[in-house]
Amino acid sequence: PKTGYPELDTLISGFVPGHLYTLSGETNLGKTSLACNFVVHLARQKRRTLYLALEPDRRLVDYIASVETKKPFKDLKDSDLRNINEYIDFTGGEVRTIEDLAKVIEKVTDRYSLVVIDHLGYFVRGSGDWISQQEDLLKGLARLTKDRRVPILIIAHLSKPTQGSENKTPGMDRIKGSSAFKQDSTEVLL
């Protein structure tokens, strides 16, 4: 399936089954909005997607409805929020641990043309050796994409810039956490 952005499709060939994608960028830059655009574009191609909204404060339905209707959040009506495309599935509230995420992902079959995880850091911050946890999770997701032949898009945050580097374009070394994003992702979108 195509991303909906011809120039991006030229670079990455759309969402290829078996590929693990990482989407990252500065805070409040629009990572979730871009992922929602991808999901809506796939739904318009009659391709089913699963969006795992893991941040408890996200109103994913608002994002999707805004993209589908081309309305700003403030102009959305209740009917817009109830009429989400049938090709888009959501989950997230019941996914609270890495184990919960693994169970959901392992159930994924060729039913989905894309699975979005927004965002991976929700599971691995602040408990024990979070970098090792993140590496293990990324390796597991990379294996699942290949085994299940489903593309997975992970949203990852960037670490804060170091003193004096605030004006530089962020690179892969700024993705918060382990180097596994570079090693295990098929494509990294910054």
Side-chain angles (χ1 to χ4, degrees), residues 161-174:
T162 57
Q163 190 69 20
S165 68
E166 294 86 3
N167 295 327
K168 293 183 182 174
T169 303
M172 286 196 297
D173 293 334
R174 287 258 326 274

Side-chain angles (χ1 to χ4, degrees), residues 13-186:
S13 302
F15 291 111
V16 179
H19 285 205
L20 179 64
Y21 300 86
T22 297
L23 172 61
S24 191
E26 299 290 350
T27 302
N28 294 321
L29 195 62
K31 297 178 291 293
T32 296
S33 294
L34 180 58
C36 288
N37 274 275
F38 291 153
V39 166
V40 168
H41 287 293
L42 266 69
R44 288 178 182 155
Q45 298 169 59
K46 298 192 180 332
R47 301 294 190 116
R48 186 165 294 286
T49 60
L50 173 62
Y51 201 116
L52 296 162
L54 305 177
E55 289 188 276
D57 62 338
R58 293 280 183 206
R59 287 264 329 191
L60 189 63
V61 172
D62 293 350
Y63 280 87
I64 298 288
S66 178
V67 173
E68 280 197 307
T69 62
K70 298 181 180 170
K71 293 180 184 177
F73 292 143
K74 65 180 180 62
D75 294 339
L76 291 174
K77 297 184 175 19
D78 286 342
S79 61
D80 298 325
L81 301 175
R82 284 191 302 271
N83 294 320
I84 299 298
N85 191 301
E86 66 182 305
Y87 287 92
I88 301 171
D89 294 334
F90 306 83
T91 191
E94 67 279 5
V95 180
R96 291 189 172 88
T97 66
I98 292 172
E99 292 77 20
D100 293 341
L101 177 62
K103 287 177 190 171
V104 169
I105 297 296
E106 285 181 13
K107 291 178 186 174
V108 170
T109 64
D110 57 2
R111 175 179 179 196
Y112 291 108
S113 295
L114 180 67
V115 174
V116 178
I117 301 173
D118 185 359
H119 72 85
L120 190 65
Y122 179 71
F123 289 109
V124 291
R125 59 181 177 197
S127 61
D129 183 3
W130 65 275
I131 291 181
S132 291
Q133 290 178 31
Q134 188 181 71
E135 286 174 356
D136 292 344
L137 186 55
L138 284 164
K139 287 187 185 322
L141 289 172
R143 206 170 26 258
L144 278 170
T145 62
K146 288 176 179 42
D147 292 348
R148 303 277 195 247
R149 303 286 305 148
V150 62
I152 296 176
L153 173 70
I154 301 165
I155 296 178
H157 288 228
L158 292 177
S159 59
K160 301 291 183 213
T162 57
Q163 190 69 20
S165 68
E166 294 86 3
N167 295 327
K168 293 183 182 174
T169 303
M172 286 196 297
D173 293 334
R174 287 258 326 274
I175 298 174
K176 191 172 187 174
S178 92
S179 61
F181 284 110
K182 291 189 280 189
Q183 296 166 352
D184 294 321
S185 294
T186 309

